[in-house]
Amino acid sequence: MAQLRQYSFLIYCLVALILVLAGGCVENSPQEVNTSGEATVFEGQELTPISEQRNNAIQGTQYIDPDTYELRIYGLVDNPVNLSYDQLLAYPSVSRFVRMDCVEGWGFDAKWTGVTLNTLFNETGINSSATTVVFYCTDGYSTSLELDYLVDNDIMLAYKLNDITLPADRGFPLQLVAEDKYGYKWAKWITAIEVINEPYKGYWESVGYNNNADVGGPAFERK
Ligand SMILES: Nc1nc2c(c(=O)[nH]1)N[C@H]1C(S)=C(S)[C@@H](COP(=O)(O)O)O[C@H]1N2
Ligand SMILES: [Mo]
């Protein structure tokens, strides 16, 4: 009888120990955010604080009302769509550590959260003749990328930066996270996405910037 009591006491101790250890594990994960709730580390990599990230815009900051905002996807698709801000947020989200490099030589490391174009293209369907995707923005800016690049790299439209809702000067509601491409492919304040079947030169590309825009590659198109 005494032996049985001893035995159950041992089990009790073991369970208590497991609970304490499990609790410790949860508490062990550090608070990797700053005072404004901004993420400072993601996947073990240090993030540039938003306050230290530069920005660039041809016409200054655009202010978009999320209540009336619509993202239109049209062109060589089976079902054109108009998506509200809330609809965009309702899709499954992805988060990634991605560095942005402007062709002028500055850049920053950030955590980006958003919806992938593949998720949206899954909804619209894509015509088999499509080759190119054009992004149009409220400031008159535009740029394009090859469909294969966007699909193969599962490129996202970000609505959060370092866990913070994308600030107005950074492209609210959406900035394209064009991984491994120069900053001028990272369209901000996107309101329309057109799928076409020929090359397209955007704002900077039409004055000579390389339409390929691979980071590390030539900044200008060869004459
Ligand atoms: N709509 C719009 N998107 C834009 C631009 C712009 O002027 N208008 N500038 C581009 C350039 S040249 C760069 S380097 C990046 C800078 O992004 P950031 O302001 O978020 O740092 O935005 C790109 N996207
Ligand atoms: Mo840029």
Side-chain angles (χ1 to χ4, degrees):
M1 196 58 196
Q3 212 174 14
L4 190 72
R5 220 181 299 146
Q6 219 172 14
Y7 189 63
S8 54
F9 178 70
L10 259 174
I11 289 190
Y12 171 80
C13 286
L14 205 66
V15 168
L17 187 71
I18 286 169
L19 285 176
V20 165
L21 284 178
C25 282
V26 172
E27 262 169 44
N28 258 341
S29 70
Q31 292 271 306
E32 287 165 346
V33 296
N34 69 14
T35 48
S36 42
E38 186 184 337
T40 57
V41 176
F42 183 58
E43 292 174 344
Q45 286 162 293
E46 205 162 314
L47 310 174
T48 310
I50 295 177
S51 61
E52 289 170 26
Q53 297 175 10
R54 285 180 58 172
N55 75 49
N56 175 288
I58 53 164
Q59 297 278 4
T61 299
Q62 306 292 301
Y63 295 92
I64 292 179
D65 180 354
D67 294 336
T68 53
Y69 174 79
E70 277 191 331
L71 175 68
R72 178 170 173 231
I73 307 178
Y74 67 107
L76 299 174
V77 299
D78 305 323
N79 316 296
V81 292
N82 286 286
L83 300 169
S84 70
Y85 185 58
D86 287 344
Q87 280 176 305
L88 287 164
L89 298 192
Y91 285 107
S93 75
V94 295
S95 291
R96 284 185 206 137
F97 173 90
V98 186
R99 178 173 179 79
M100 200 213 71
D101 282 299
C102 172
V103 70
E104 291 171 321
W106 54 273
F108 57 84
D109 297 319
K111 175 184 178 181
W112 303 91
T113 302
V115 55
T116 69
L117 285 163
N118 282 333
T119 297
L120 304 183
F121 290 159
N122 197 34
E123 199 105 317
T124 62
I126 297 277
N127 192 299
S128 61
S129 65
T131 60
T132 308
V133 180
V134 187
F135 299 85
Y136 300 100
C137 315
T138 52
D139 54 352
Y141 192 85
S142 67
T143 192
S144 76
L145 283 156
E146 286 181 6
L147 178 64
D148 283 350
Y149 158 82
L150 297 169
V151 169
D152 296 349
N153 295 289
D154 200 25
I155 295 302
M156 75 162 102
L157 294 165
Y159 44 73
K160 277 188 177 179
L161 172 59
N162 291 357
D163 287 345
I164 304 285
T165 297
L166 205 62
D169 62 342
R170 306 301 302 285
F172 180 87
L174 295 176
Q175 180 167 30
L176 183 72
V177 180
E179 301 182 32
D180 303 320
K181 300 287 184 183
Y182 285 129
Y184 56 88
K185 294 292 182 184
W186 293 54
K188 308 195 287 190
W189 309 298
I190 302 163
T191 49
I193 297 176
E194 184 184 14
V195 181
I196 62 175
N197 61 1
E198 59 189 359
Y200 172 94
K201 284 186 177 178
Y203 184 88
W204 288 119
E205 294 89 337
S206 62
V207 297
Y209 282 91
N210 192 332
N211 205 9
N212 180 273
D214 280 335
V215 170
F220 299 101
E221 206 87 60
R222 289 220 263 156
K223 284 267 153 67

